[in-house]
Every structure is written in C-alpha cells, then in structure tokens.
Amino acid sequence: MTTVKTGQVPLAHDSEMARATPRKASMIGVNSRKLWLTVLGWGVAILIFFPIFWMIVTSFKTEAEAIADPSLIFAPTLENYVEVQLRADYFKFAMNSVVVAFGSTLLALLLAIPAAYSMAFLPTKRTKGTLLWMLSTKMLPPVGVLVPIYLLFRDTGLLDTRTGLIIVYTLMNLPIVVWMLYTFFKDLPKDILEAGRMDGASTFQEVWYLLLPLTLPGIASTGLLSVILSWNEAFWSLNLTSSQAAPLTAYIASFSSPEGLFWAKLSAASTMAIAPILVFGWLTQKQMVRGLTFGAVK
Amino acid sequence: MRLRHAIPLAGATALVSAAASAETITVATVNNNDMVIMQGLTDEFEKAHPDITLDWVVLEENVLRQRMTTDIATQGGQFDVMTIGTYEVPIWAERGWLTPLADLPDDYQVNDLLKPVRDGLSYDGTLYALPFYAESSMTYYNKALFEKAGIEMSDQPTWQEVSDWASRIHDPQNEVYGICLRGKPGWGENMAFVSTLVNTYGGRWFDMDWNPQLDSQAWQDAVSFYVDLLNNYGPPGASSNGFNENLALFSRGNCGMWVDATSAAGKLYNPDESQVADQLGFAPAPIAETPKGSHWLWSWALAIPATSDSKDAAETFITWATSQDYIELVGETKGWTSVPPGTRESTYENENYQQAAPFADFVLNAIREADPTDSTQEPAPYVGVQFVGIPEFQAIGTQVGQMIAAALTGDMSVEQALSSAQRSTERTMKRAGYPK
C-alpha cells in the first residue's frame, strides 16, 4: 500500500512552484522590458513630434502669446491663417511643390532603375567605385556649385522655372535613389531573372515583368523618400526661383523677419506647408515601412 | 441679340488684352513690417498704373541678401526692383550693377529726402537707390522702472551713467534687467551696435593704410565695457539676443534700457504690440569719449538692377513707393505711426505725424547727426558708421562678431577675442589686396 506522506504533496507542489517561479519571473522580466521599451518608444516619438506639435499650437496663438512664456491655455485664433493667405497665394506655391516633388521623383526613378539594374545584375570591377563616387557628390555643400549652376540656368533660361527645379532635384536625389534601388535589387535572387531569360524575355521584359513587380515595395519607399526630400528642400528652391516656380519652402521663408514679431504667422505658414506631405506620408506609411523593412532584413 | 452678346464679349476681350499687355515687374523685398504694408498696397499702385503689374518676392533679410547678391553678381536679371541697404548701394553702384537715378521727375521732390540718407545712397554724387525707410539708433528706457529707482534720464546720457543706472534697476529675481543690448553674432546684429560703441570710445576699424585696429586700446575698453555691462546687468543668454529678442523683452517690461534702432519706436509705442507703450522714454544714444559715430545710419532702399528689362516701369514703381503721396496714403489708411520713417523732411513737418509719433524729433535729429563719411575720432579710410563700406566687411564683421559673442559667453577673454579678431581681419585684408 502506498501511502502518501502528507509532506510529499507539498513537495510535489513545491517542485511545480519551483518550475513555475522562474517562468513567472521571466514573464515579469519580459513584461517589464516590454513596458520600458514601450515607454522609451513613446518617449522618443513624443520628443520627435513635439516641435511639430508646438508649431501647430503656436499657429493658433496671437503674436504676443507666441513670444510670451510657453502656455497651452489660450484663446485659439485663426487670424494667422487669414493673414498668411492674404499676403501670399498658398495654392500657387503648393502646386509648384507638388509638380516639382513628383516630377523630380518620376524622373529620378526613370534614370535610376536602369542604372541600379545594371549595377546589381551586370556588375563590372568599377561598379563599387561608381556607386561610391555617386554618393560622394552628396558630400559637397550645395553652395559650392551655386554660381556655376546659376550661370547655366541663366544661359538656358531655366531660372525660376519648374523644369529647372525638377532637373536640380533629380540630380540631387539620384545618388540616394540609385543606392536604395541597388540594395533592393541585390536582394532579388538572380535565378528568377535567369529563368525569365531562359523563357526568352528581353531585357526590358525582364525588368518590366519580373524585376519591378518583385521589388515594388522597395521602389515605392524609394519614391516616397525622394518626394519627401524634394518637398523639404530649401537651398535650391530659394536660390533658383523668384516668383513663378517658387515652392512652399520659399513661401515659409517669406514669413520670417529680423524686425518685428513673426512666430505665429511663420508657424501658420509652416503648418500649411507641411500639411500635404504629412497627410501623404500618413496615407502611405504602410508602404513605406514595408519597403524600408524589405531592404533592412536581408 | 447678337449685338447684345457681342458688346460684353468685346469688353471682356479688351480687359483681357489690357491685362495681357500690362508690364510685369518683379520686386524683391524683405519681410519687415513697412514692406509688408507696401505689398498690401499693391492694388492702389496697380489702380493708378494699370499698365504695370507687380510680382512680389518677399524673403527674410539674410536669405534675400544672398539671393540678390547671386543674381546681380551673375547678371541673372531675375528682379526689376531690389530692396538693398546703404552698405550695398555704393559697392554695387561702383561695379555698374545698378541703374543711376539721375533724371527723377520734378514732382518726386528729391531735395525733400533727408541729406544724410540721400548721401548714403549715392555714389560719385549720383543717386542709385531711393530710400524706403531709414533709421538711426537711440536709447529707449522704461519710465516706470526709472522712477522706481529714482533715476532721471539726462539729455545726453553717457555710457558710464547707463552702467550706473543699469546696476540700480537690475533685479533678475523679478525678471527685470538693467539693460538689453544686441549679443547675437553677425555684421548686422551685434557688430552694428559694437561698432557704434567703439566709435564713441574713440576707436575705428582701420587706420588710413587699411591696417585693422582691433587690438587698439579703444577696442579693448569698448568691448570690455560691453561684456561687463551685459554680463552684470543684462538678461540671461544675451549672446543669442538680436533686435527681435530685445524688442520682445523690452516690450514686456523686462528691460530698464535698450539701445537700438529708431525703427523700434513705432512698435514700442503701439499698445497692441507693447505692454510698455505708456511708459516709454526716449533719449539719444549714449556717448563715451566722443559723440562721433555714437549712433548708426541705415536705410532700406529700392534700386533698379542694370539687368532689368523694365527700367521705366520699375522707376515708376520706386518713385511711387518712396514718394510723399505714398507716405500720406499709409498715414491715412494704416495710421500715422506706421508710415515709413526717416526719409523725407516733409514727413517730420506733417502735423498728423508729429501728433501720432512723439519720438519723431529724436529720430530726425539722430539721422541728421549721423555722418557716415566722418564717424570716427581719428580719420578712417572708409564710409559707414556701423559698417565699413567694402565688400570684404560682411565676412570680417560676422567673424569678429562671433569672437565678441564668445567673449560675452566667457568662452574666451576679451583680449583673446580681440587678438584673434585682429589676426583674422589682417589675413582677410591681405588676401583681398589691401591697401589698394
């Protein structure tokens, strides 16, 4: 007859407990780490977003409130939005921004896709060097080439034209676009393209029917990045345009002043300038994250 | 029936063709309040001149300066009217970049323009730009704080008095500071003020052979005084305060005194913008060893680049925007404290303006007494009170300004700052080929 000593049950129970405690402890550890990471994530997000939040808040204050001690309690006003619209035609500037940002992105992709294809799938011993050289052009401060480009634009009649700005932005973003596409294309197994070639696909068909559909998230995120970079570019837009082709960056610049109060008006103009790209970025964020991850986890 | 349709159609066609034939001129200007008012009166100009349409490019001062310099130096021809200052006009005129304004219409009354301003915008006796507004510098003080401290402002304050008064007013625990002055580095920011201080301490930027004088005793005394004054009785973070920051501080009642541009008077006197409008006192800029060069002279002016294809239309516009009639128009539509100051004798004779702007006499006297051709105790080879009228000065002024700001923050001593400034200025001048 097997007797169970009263003390044995607690023993068995103890061993279960002994097994459960580390698991529970590790669960608690995981949970607290998760909590900390969440808090950190939110902290960083709030830190990044705070200037934009404060700009939006300031745009609803009066000029006197904007320079007074920071406060979230105030009577909101739309007078700054009315004033900036009265002083400058927002839609003219916004239209220039849209045309130039999307036009330059389209042109950059048209040039970069064949370039990245050839570098990724038909590399030569100079490919790496070429890629590095392309990137090195980004290291030159733009002001260094301002006068030559200004003279070229003057002689070709491209000053203060959207076409001129599209050309400059395309050249400005091309190295980044080529590099990003090159990275995405490199991830694609060569065998897929070879299979297409075996089936008699021409180079164009290979790119159009195989490469582009398979790397679409990468191309989309590259395009989105190029649009954002073009939208926010200020140096060339301020220097190469005056009244006809000036985009939103020039619109914002016209509200800053060394004499007199301007923070609330500048905030209103800036809020209006970033609104379209903010909405665009929000709508396309899934695509963008997918594309960037596509390149990051290779 | 047909005729009834045809008449409006013909009218519309005529209107369209008139609009199409209007000459468009591109005006580049800064985003200061007076210019914003000018932009707001576009319709008035176009109504009076239906054959001319205005296209505006409004930018922040530094951005605009860079933009216009690039355009004019490369003969880009993007602008028909440029807003430039007394620093640029003689330099650009000498290079043939500006259109001379020798044959202005009689009704423009060119002799009504204040002489020092007219001289500052001329080269070789010819006018190259028309003054839109002009300013000098003067002392603003808070009457309530002066009264509380038992101080009476003198007719011509000295810097020693100012320092003494600042020490009596200074109460940082209640956010009241004895004095606010420019500390933000830049040739048009802290160096505009420091240059006038050096002038009145008997110093100069260069001797007659273009040797920099930044290590002279006058510079040492002036800059040491400035650094001590601001560190002892100035607001915290004074090295990042420019015109705007000090305007905000003074208008909120945080400063006992402020020495800066006369163009601030209208803003400080406006109760909508300033909490000290009823406590505002004015006095001439303080002096030390000599009154010479103790207050600056600056004018924002409208010029026509030589590359403009629409010179006649541009001249029509700039004569309108700087005319007596324009000043009357602003006075009547926007209020008399908003009229562009410092350009015409007639403005100061106008009773409406005298009533609305009690600071008018100070401004007029300050401008009249500023002499850019004789602003230093010892002779100097350059024109300009708070700047040196040579192309190299923008770089020199900004570099020296950074060193003086470093002395203000305590990153280096005044001796170190001035010695570095002297060396860097010597290098720049040597590279530029001085003496010429």
Side-chain angles (χ1 to χ4, degrees):
Chain A
M1 189 176 164
T2 311
T3 55
V4 177
K5 289 179 185 167
T6 46
Q8 281 175 330
V9 177
L11 266 179
H13 182 70
D14 274 357
S15 76
E16 261 175 41
M17 279 291 284
R19 275 200 308 274
T21 307
R23 205 186 307 152
K24 209 171 178 181
S26 87
M27 283 287 282
I28 291 169
V30 168
N31 279 342
S32 86
R33 210 172 59 197
K34 212 171 167 184
L35 181 76
W36 276 113
L37 282 175
T38 309
V39 170
L40 187 73
W42 272 100
V44 170
I46 289 170
L47 203 68
I48 292 170
F49 185 70
F50 185 76
I52 296 170
F53 166 75
W54 199 250
M55 178 187 78
I56 296 168
V57 168
T58 308
S59 71
F60 293 105
K61 292 181 174 180
T62 61
E63 287 295 357
E65 285 167 341
I67 57 152
D69 292 336
S71 168
L72 279 172
I73 302 159
F74 62 94
T77 173
L78 285 172
E79 68 179 45
N80 299 309
Y81 287 91
V82 175
E83 174 79 21
V84 295
Q85 188 52 34
L86 279 176
R87 270 206 229 164
D89 184 357
Y90 169 78
F91 293 102
K92 182 179 159 189
F93 289 93
M95 188 45 76
N96 285 338
S97 276
V98 170
V99 170
V100 169
F102 285 91
S104 65
T105 299
L106 202 69
L107 191 59
L109 285 174
L110 275 174
L111 294 169
I113 289 171
Y117 167 82
S118 106
M119 286 172 179
F121 300 109
L122 308 162
T124 65
K125 57 181 180 181
R126 291 197 183 86
T127 297
K128 276 262 156 64
T130 312
L131 274 165
L132 280 173
W133 168 76
M134 285 183 79
L135 207 61
S136 73
T137 58
K138 294 292 291 174
M139 294 167 195
L140 179 77
V143 71
V145 286
L146 173 61
V147 171
I149 287 190
Y150 202 91
L151 289 171
L152 279 171
F153 270 46
R154 181 197 66 183
D155 295 344
T156 48
L158 286 172
L159 281 173
D160 200 21
T161 61
R162 289 171 178 175
T163 314
L165 223 47
I166 287 174
I167 293 171
V168 166
Y169 285 2
T170 303
L171 296 174
M172 181 185 80
N173 289 335
L174 206 53
I176 292 170
V177 175
V178 170
W179 260 93
M180 281 184 75
L181 291 179
Y182 170 76
T183 321
F184 294 133
F185 291 175
K186 280 285 271 187
D187 284 347
L188 198 71
K190 279 186 176 175
D191 304 349
I192 296 177
L193 297 186
E194 269 170 23
R197 230 170 288 150
M198 297 269 284
D199 286 342
S202 66
T203 308
F204 176 76
Q205 286 169 325
E206 209 177 286
V207 172
W208 189 254
Y209 292 110
L210 295 171
L211 182 68
L212 294 189
L214 288 168
T215 55
L216 197 60
I219 295 171
S221 68
T222 308
L224 294 175
L225 189 73
S226 170
V227 167
I228 291 169
L229 287 174
S230 303
W231 190 277
N232 291 331
E233 201 285 329
F235 179 79
W236 291 113
S237 63
L238 285 173
N239 279 291
L240 297 178
T241 66
S242 46
S243 59
Q244 298 308 313
L248 285 167
T249 40
Y251 171 79
I252 298 175
S254 68
F255 289 100
S256 149
S257 165
E259 277 193 19
L261 306 177
F262 61 88
W263 292 110
K265 282 188 278 291
L266 183 66
S267 298
S270 303
T271 304
M272 286 174 75
I274 64 161
I277 201 75
L278 213 64
V279 172
F280 178 72
W282 183 64
L283 290 175
T284 56
Q285 61 176 324
K286 210 179 258 181
Q287 195 76 330
M288 198 156 170
V289 171
R290 192 147 56 117
L292 290 173
T293 323
F294 180 78
V297 291
K298 59 182 187 295
Chain B
M1 194 70 173
R2 271 185 186 173
L3 193 64
R4 257 207 330 250
H5 283 132
I7 290 169
L9 194 68
T13 313
L15 272 175
V16 169
S17 59
S21 66
E23 196 169 3
T24 302
I25 57 169
T26 307
V27 183
T29 195
V30 282
N31 183 28
N32 290 352
N33 197 38
D34 293 288
M35 283 70 164
V36 172
I37 290 174
M38 170 169 66
Q39 193 189 357
L41 293 169
T42 300
D43 287 348
E44 297 288 335
F45 174 78
E46 288 178 351
K47 220 187 292 169
H49 303 90
D51 52 336
I52 302 173
T53 307
L54 301 179
D55 224 346
W56 293 92
V57 178
V58 185
L59 290 169
E60 189 273 320
E61 181 180 335
N62 292 329
V63 179
L64 184 87
R65 190 169 268 130
Q66 179 192 321
R67 180 74 185 83
M68 290 189 310
T69 308
T70 310
D71 191 72
I72 202 143
T74 57
Q75 308 286 295
Q78 286 286 289
F79 307 106
D80 300 299
V81 174
M82 287 180 168
T83 307
I84 53 177
T86 32
Y87 170 68
E88 286 93 356
V89 173
I91 297 172
W92 290 10
E94 188 187 359
R95 283 163 172 68
W97 292 348
L98 300 177
T99 308
L101 302 166
D103 300 314
L104 292 166
D106 287 343
D107 61 355
Y108 181 71
Q109 296 180 338
V110 73
N111 290 327
D112 185 40
L113 298 175
L114 296 178
K115 192 174 178 306
V117 178
R118 210 169 56 211
D119 290 348
L121 301 174
S122 300
Y123 173 72
D124 256 358
T126 305
L127 204 56
Y128 279 86
L130 301 181
F132 183 65
Y133 77 77
E135 64 177 34
S136 183
S137 53
M138 65 180 183
T139 308
Y140 299 98
Y141 66 98
N142 185 318
K143 283 180 183 168
L145 293 174
F146 263 56
E147 206 173 304
K148 197 176 155 197
I151 306 165
E152 203 171 320
M153 175 58 82
S154 55
D155 290 342
Q156 173 55 73
T158 65
W159 276 110
Q160 210 45 59
E161 282 175 328
V162 166
S163 171
D164 177 42
W165 296 335
S167 72
R168 287 159 64 184
I169 294 167
H170 195 59
D171 180 12
Q173 281 178 338
N174 290 314
E175 294 188 358
V176 171
Y177 310 104
I179 188 158
C180 295
L181 295 170
R182 294 184 185 193
K184 193 190 270 183
W187 74 272
E189 282 282 9
N190 63 347
M191 291 319 292
F193 170 76
V194 171
S195 296
T196 58
L197 190 67
V198 169
N199 290 340
T200 191
Y201 264 84
R204 54 188 171 165
W205 274 91
F206 299 99
D207 69 10
M208 289 305 282
D209 295 322
W210 289 102
N211 295 309
Q213 300 294 300
L214 285 97
D215 55 359
S216 64
Q217 194 57 44
W219 272 85
Q220 291 280 354
D221 294 345
V223 177
S224 299
F225 176 82
Y226 163 76
V227 168
D228 290 344
L229 184 66
L230 263 188
N231 281 335
N232 292 334
Y233 314 122
S239 62
S240 53
N241 287 354
F243 175 89
N244 265 344
E245 291 79 6
N246 285 325
L247 176 69
L249 279 170
F250 193 91
S251 62
R252 288 205 303 260
N254 297 116
C255 308
M257 287 170 280
W258 178 34
V259 181
D260 214 301
T262 53
S263 59
K267 296 173 183 71
L268 291 174
Y269 200 65
N270 181 352
D272 293 338
E273 290 185 47
S274 159
Q275 293 168 22
V276 295
D278 55 345
Q279 297 297 337
L280 189 58
F282 311 99
I287 57 169
E289 303 292 322
T290 171
K292 272 190 169 181
S294 60
H295 50 276
W296 68 63
L297 180 68
W298 180 258
S299 168
W300 277 118
L302 302 175
I304 305 168
T307 46
S308 169
D309 293 330
S310 308
K311 289 192 181 72
D312 289 342
E315 189 176 304
T316 305
F317 172 70
I318 67 170
T319 48
W320 172 81
T322 59
S323 66
Q324 251 175 313
D325 290 345
Y326 175 84
I327 289 168
E328 296 258 342
L329 178 68
V330 175
E332 279 157 20
T333 55
K334 310 283 174 186
W336 282 94
T337 48
S338 299
V339 304
T343 56
R344 288 181 170 272
E345 298 277 359
S346 53
T347 306
Y348 293 90
E349 287 159 10
N350 188 309
E351 279 179 18
N352 292 322
Y353 185 63
Q354 283 172 355
Q355 274 174 16
F359 47 83
D361 284 344
F362 277 105
V363 177
L364 182 63
N365 287 337
I367 290 174
R368 273 192 183 143
E369 286 166 13
D371 185 355
T373 58
D374 184 20
S375 59
T376 53
Q377 195 170 36
E378 291 178 273
Y382 54 86
V383 174
V385 181
Q386 77 282 23
F387 58 82
V388 177
I390 55 172
E392 293 76 15
F393 182 73
Q394 283 196 53
I396 290 173
T398 298
Q399 207 165 16
V400 175
Q402 282 161 353
M403 288 162 192
I404 289 176
L408 190 60
T409 54
D411 288 342
M412 57 171 89
S413 67
V414 171
E415 290 74 27
Q416 283 171 328
L418 289 178
S419 149
S420 306
Q422 172 76 10
R423 283 199 303 276
S424 75
T425 309
E426 277 172 357
R427 270 198 305 274
T428 308
M429 293 301 280
K430 204 172 167 187
R431 232 179 288 140
Y434 284 87
K436 284 183 176 170

